[in-house]
Amino acid sequence: MPAVTIRNLSDATHRALKVRAAHHGRSAEAEMREILEAAVRPETRLRLGSALAERSRRLGLTNEDFAVLDQARDTLPAEPMSFE
């Protein structure tokens, strides 16, 4: 796993981070990981699979609809393109 070093962190910020970590019952390092993950991966991010499933439900698609599509699909492998 990658490691990150944070330089020039003020003493006040470091103390506040330690207090926050203690409040949450984890180490300062674990608290920093949590803060960073929350900042770059918010709860409201779009989850593609969930969005597609919800869209299918709203459209009223069923497993039978997908079975028909599977039967109609060409099962032969695609021919690679030739640029010659």
Side-chain angles (χ1 to χ4, degrees), residues 3 7 9-10 13-14 27-28 35 38 44 63 66 73 75 77-78 81:
R7 292 185 176 85
L9 190 64
S10 72
T13 301
H14 188 248
S27 69
I35 291 168
T44 58
N63 287 340
F66 288 103
R73 183 173 42 127
T75 59
M81 291 183 72

Side-chain angles (χ1 to χ4, degrees), residues 4-61:
V4 175
T5 301
I6 301 173
R7 292 185 176 85
N8 301 322
L9 190 64
S10 72
D11 289 336
T13 301
H14 188 248
R15 274 194 307 276
L17 182 61
K18 286 182 141 185
V19 168
R20 179 178 166 155
H23 179 72
H24 291 126
R26 53 185 163 227
S27 69
E29 182 179 341
E31 188 68 19
M32 285 184 263
R33 274 194 303 270
E34 182 63 31
I35 291 168
L36 287 171
E37 286 189 25
V40 299
R41 295 167 70 175
E43 290 291 321
T44 58
R45 73 177 192 244
L46 176 65
R47 297 178 187 266
L48 184 57
S50 299
L52 290 173
E54 177 60 29
R55 179 86 172 171
S56 295
R57 277 192 291 277
R58 279 189 281 148
L59 292 172
L61 295 176

